[in-house]
């Protein structure tokens, strides 16, 4: 039997032919398991590979949404703290999610949904419509933490540095208070959530409507008047009470 | 035919700059606002894409503000300071007067056939309204636009959420300005029967003497009584110039009406 003698410090190790065959066989078997999986990443595009190798290097984010997570993330105590947030009965489910490390935990059929399917209004922001920014570029990869979670990049204490500054260099905490997903100024609920926007909007609308309410009838009637003869007079007196007799006498 | 001069070359220059910058701002502003629609994308393509549209909007806005500052300097330079306050409150001034209220009521009465036409002086009440509406509009649009020009720097001095409010003010005031100019100003200036197809006074600088006697009898009589009429009589512009004025004016009017109609037709798409 041929033996392979290794140099120091492995001189005492001796591999028989059978051991070599088994070693090669095991390596090939492992390769059969792992190598195709590595190759397949280009096809399957796990979120980690996609994010690290493509999006962060090229700056070109893809249109589709984040894949759901493969593991259960650390979850902060989901029970709301009375001293931190005041819960309304109807808003409880929504509000406490703002404080979770994974704000979408427990949602049914989450892996088959997109951001826009549950948040259609948020997709109409100027960032999405004009700059074509996808949800994930700001809210990050899965698991998406609630905006008020202490580790979230979207937390108001660090959003300006970790999120806004990616495009708006030099942004400040004040800058981060800009409402990207601003409420509709037409909505009555905005009166409570963003009163300055609500009242400024309606002041301007009343100003515009008032201007047109005065000038459009004025302009149209003026245009029509110029088609009438210059001597045109509306004889109102003829229709006034007490004047009919005189007119009849005429 | 002799003409009486209403606007100096400098005043016509101001109007020309205002007109061109306003049209560009309207087109680029609507392109930005409607970029989510097919029509908005076509408009942005005209300016080389959305980023270029934004850049043009900002630079032309700065040009507009610069021209406004020059206009303010011009006003201050042309005021007869020794004759105050009569010099800025006279009939040649655009400052609103009490007579304007009476004339506007009488004008509405004439429209309704209740009385004869009012006797206007050099400036009618709607012309003063147009002037001060533009004045107010540039202050508001320019002020909000300047703050929105660089929101990162602006938010060092004001809270970021104020940008949401200022953007809405900017939008609504711009919409009001465009609708007023494209509908009311154009109609009164060019499309009503007495001025149709185009009133060239802002291009030529002068108005026909007979037309002035008809429309603004108090002005012509005042000039005659003061013996100043001969000093402001000017010759009518040549035929070639009038053709150029017409072509240019119609291009502006048609272009602006195109913007207005498409903005109206696509408005429902903005609501989503």
């Amino acid at each position: 039997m041929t033996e392979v003698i290794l140099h120091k410090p492995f001189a005492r190790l001796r591999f028989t032919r059978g051991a070599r065959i088994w070693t090669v066989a095991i390596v090939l078997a492992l390769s059969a398991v792992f190598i195709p999986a590595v190759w397949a990443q280009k096809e399957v595009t796990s979120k980690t590979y996609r994010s690290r190798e493509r999006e962060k290097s090229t700056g070109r984010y893809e249109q589709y949404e984040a894949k759901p997570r493969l593991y259960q993330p650390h979850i902060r105590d989901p029970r709301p703290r009375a001293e931190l947030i005041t819960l309304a009965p109807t808003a409880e489910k929504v509000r406490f999610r703002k404080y979770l490390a994974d704000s979408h935990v427990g949602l049914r059929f989450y892996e088959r949904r997109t951001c826009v399917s549950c948040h259609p209004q948020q997709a109409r922001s100027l960032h999405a419509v004009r700059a074509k920014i996808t949800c994930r570029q700001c809210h990050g990869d899965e698991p998406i933490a609630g905006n008020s979670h202490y580790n979230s990049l979207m937390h108001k204490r660090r959003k300006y540095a970790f999120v806004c500054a990616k495009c708006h260099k030099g942004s400040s905490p004040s800058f981060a208070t800009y409402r990207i997903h601003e409420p509709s100024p037409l909505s009555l609920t905005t009166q409570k959530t963003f009163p300055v926007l609500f009242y400024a909007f309606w002041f301007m609308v009343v100003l515009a409507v008032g201007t047109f309410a005065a000038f459009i009838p004025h302009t149209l009637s003026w245009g029509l008047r110029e088609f009438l003869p210059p001597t045109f007079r509306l004889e109102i007196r003829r229709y006034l009470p007490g004047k009919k007799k005189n007119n009849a006498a005429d | 035919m002799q003409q009486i001069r209403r606007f100096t070359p400098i005043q016509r220059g101001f109007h020309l700059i205002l007109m061109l910058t306003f049209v560009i701002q309207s087109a680029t502003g609507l392109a930005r606002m409607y970029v989510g629609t097919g029509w908005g994308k076509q408009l942005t393509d005209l300016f080389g894409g959305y980023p270029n549209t934004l850049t043009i909007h900002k630079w032309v806005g700065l040009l507009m503000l610069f021209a406004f500052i020059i206009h303010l300097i011009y006003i201050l330079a042309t005021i007869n300071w020794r004759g105050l306050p009569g010099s800025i409150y006279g009939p040649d001034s655009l400052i609103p007067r009490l007579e304007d209220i009476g004339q506007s009521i009488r004008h509405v009465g004439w429209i309704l056939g209740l009385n004869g036409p009012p006797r206007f002086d050099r400036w009618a009440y709607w012309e003063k309204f147009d002037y001060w509406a533009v004045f107010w509009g540039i202050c508001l649009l320019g002020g909000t636009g300047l703050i929105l020009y660089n929101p990162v720097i602006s938010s060092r001095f004001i809270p970021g959420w104020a940008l949401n409010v200022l953007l809405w003010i900017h939008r609504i005031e711009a919409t009001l300005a465009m609708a007023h100019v494209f509908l009311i100003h154009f109609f009164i200036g060019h499309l009503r029967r007495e001025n149709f197809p185009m009133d060239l006074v802002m291009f030529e600088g002068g108005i026909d003497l007979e037309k002035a006697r008809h429309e603004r009898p108090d002005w012509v009589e005042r000039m005659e009584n003061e013996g100043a009429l001969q000093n402001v009589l000017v010759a009518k512009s040549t035929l070639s110039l009038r053709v150029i004025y017409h072509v240019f004016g119609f291009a502006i009017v048609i272009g602006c009406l195109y913007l207005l109609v498409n903005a109206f037709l696509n408005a429902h798409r903005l609501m989503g």
Side-chain angles (χ1 to χ4, degrees):
Chain A
M1 182 179 283
T2 309
E3 291 181 346
V4 178
I5 302 174
L6 298 176
H7 295 287
K8 291 179 181 179
F10 306 106
R12 291 182 181 178
L13 293 175
R14 294 172 189 276
F15 288 90
T16 62
R17 176 175 290 177
R20 279 187 289 159
I21 290 171
W22 275 109
T23 303
V24 170
I26 289 170
V27 168
L28 286 177
L30 289 174
S31 301
V33 173
F34 290 109
I35 289 176
V38 173
W39 290 341
Q41 281 187 352
K42 288 186 180 177
E43 302 293 331
V44 177
T45 61
S46 77
K47 61 183 186 299
T48 306
Y49 174 82
R50 188 172 63 224
S51 176
R52 287 182 181 167
E53 302 300 322
R54 294 191 57 184
E55 294 174 341
K56 285 181 182 171
S57 59
T58 62
R60 295 180 64 180
Y61 283 75
E62 296 172 19
Q63 293 294 320
Y64 48 82
E65 306 296 341
K67 294 285 185 187
R69 63 209 155 274
L70 299 173
Y71 56 91
Q72 189 74 6
H74 167 69
I75 299 174
R76 189 186 176 193
D77 185 356
R79 288 172 299 179
R81 294 185 180 181
E83 69 272 19
L84 289 179
I85 45 176
T86 307
L87 294 177
T90 52
E92 183 176 359
K93 288 183 179 177
V94 176
R95 286 194 181 182
F96 90 79
R97 287 190 179 277
K98 290 169 64 180
Y99 293 85
L100 295 183
D102 179 5
S103 56
H104 299 111
V105 65
L107 290 180
R108 289 178 182 173
F109 309 113
Y110 180 66
E111 65 276 8
R112 295 192 180 277
R113 290 177 176 171
T114 62
C115 304
V116 179
S117 66
C118 294
H119 305 283
Q121 290 292 335
Q122 277 70 11
R124 291 175 192 160
S125 69
L126 295 182
H127 279 67
V129 174
R130 294 187 182 176
K132 306 295 181 198
I133 292 175
T134 60
C135 309
R136 201 144 51 88
Q137 281 178 270
C138 296
H139 290 275
D141 217 340
E142 291 286 345
I144 299 170
N147 287 354
S148 298
H149 185 264
Y150 56 83
N151 275 346
S152 171
L153 293 181
M154 296 296 284
H155 193 282
K156 60 185 177 183
R157 288 187 178 177
R158 60 184 74 85
K159 183 170 77 170
Y160 73 94
F162 287 92
V163 182
C164 303
K166 287 200 287 187
C167 298
H168 304 279
K169 289 184 172 51
S171 67
S172 59
S174 165
F175 179 79
T177 61
Y178 172 78
R179 295 278 289 273
I180 292 165
H181 303 296
E182 69 177 12
S184 168
L186 292 166
S187 169
L188 278 177
T189 54
T190 309
Q191 188 178 9
K192 292 179 180 175
T193 57
F194 202 163
V196 180
L197 179 70
F198 180 82
Y199 288 113
F201 174 82
W202 282 108
F203 172 77
M204 293 303 296
V205 167
V206 168
L207 184 73
V209 170
T211 304
F212 291 119
F215 272 91
I216 285 182
H218 169 269
T219 308
L220 284 177
S221 53
W222 185 359
L224 291 173
R225 174 66 180 88
E226 292 196 352
F227 283 96
L228 297 173
T231 55
F232 167 73
R233 292 283 188 280
L234 191 62
E235 298 292 345
I236 292 180
R237 289 179 183 175
R238 181 179 296 175
Y239 305 104
L240 292 176
K243 295 286 181 185
K244 285 183 179 175
K245 197 175 284 182
N246 295 337
N247 290 337
D250 292 341
Chain B
M1 186 181 288
Q2 281 190 313
Q3 287 192 326
I4 180 169
R5 194 175 69 187
R6 287 198 74 202
F7 300 103
T8 64
I10 292 178
Q11 291 164 346
R12 286 148 53 197
F14 278 131
H15 184 266
L16 182 66
I17 292 170
L18 176 66
M19 181 171 63
L20 291 174
T21 53
F22 186 79
V23 170
I24 293 171
Q25 289 299 81
S26 302
T28 52
L30 285 174
R32 293 183 60 210
M33 194 188 292
Y34 284 82
V35 73
T37 69
W39 176 66
K41 281 174 189 158
Q42 286 176 0
L43 263 187
T44 53
D45 288 344
L46 275 180
F47 297 101
Y50 179 80
N52 284 351
T53 308
L54 180 57
T55 306
I56 293 170
H57 193 75
K58 287 181 173 180
W59 279 97
V60 176
L62 287 179
L63 176 65
M64 207 174 192
L65 275 177
F66 179 71
F68 181 63
I69 292 169
I70 299 293
H71 180 70
L72 290 179
I73 294 170
Y74 167 78
I75 291 172
L76 295 174
T78 50
I79 286 178
N80 177 13
W81 293 97
R82 291 182 180 174
L84 288 177
S87 59
I88 62 164
Y89 199 65
D92 282 321
S93 166
L94 280 166
I95 300 284
R97 307 166 73 197
L98 284 175
E99 289 88 333
D100 294 322
I101 298 172
Q103 285 187 348
S104 63
I105 294 170
R106 188 166 180 80
H107 191 231
V108 172
W110 170 77
I111 289 170
L112 298 176
L114 302 175
N115 50 257
R119 294 176 62 83
F120 291 117
D121 206 292
R122 186 174 181 186
W123 308 116
Y125 67 91
W126 70 85
E127 290 163 335
K128 291 185 180 181
F129 179 87
D130 278 0
Y131 178 81
W132 289 108
V134 172
F135 205 94
W136 145 272
I138 288 187
C139 288
L140 194 63
L141 284 171
T144 52
L146 210 55
I147 294 170
L148 293 166
Y149 187 94
N150 191 329
V152 173
I153 293 176
S154 302
S155 62
R156 293 178 192 166
F157 307 100
I158 58 170
W161 55 261
L163 300 173
N164 292 83
V165 180
L166 293 172
L167 186 57
W168 272 107
I169 293 174
H170 192 84
R171 279 178 188 157
I172 300 173
E173 176 61 26
T175 308
L176 168 62
M178 283 186 285
H180 185 85
V181 170
F182 300 166
L183 282 177
I184 294 166
H185 180 70
F186 282 2
F187 186 86
I188 293 175
H190 308 298
L191 301 179
R192 66 188 169 94
R193 189 182 180 189
E194 289 195 3
N195 284 346
F196 192 82
M198 182 147 292
D199 187 5
L200 295 182
V201 64
M202 205 33 115
F203 296 113
E204 293 181 313
I207 180 174
D208 291 343
L209 188 55
E210 289 311 310
K211 189 178 178 184
R213 280 187 200 282
H214 171 65
E215 282 189 355
R216 303 165 199 278
D218 275 8
W219 180 40
V220 179
E221 281 181 18
R222 182 165 59 84
M223 299 290 277
E224 284 175 336
N225 293 336
E226 292 172 358
L229 187 61
Q230 292 300 320
N231 299 333
V232 290
L233 289 179
V234 290
K236 199 167 186 172
S237 53
T238 60
L239 179 65
S240 55
L241 269 179
R242 291 174 67 82
V243 169
I244 292 171
Y245 293 153
H246 271 102
V247 170
F248 181 68
F250 278 128
I252 295 286
V253 170
I254 291 169
C256 291
L257 290 179
Y258 164 80
L259 291 177
L260 186 73
V261 169
N262 277 284
F264 181 74
L265 292 177
N266 288 281
H268 67 284
R269 296 179 204 277
L270 285 183
M271 304 299 174

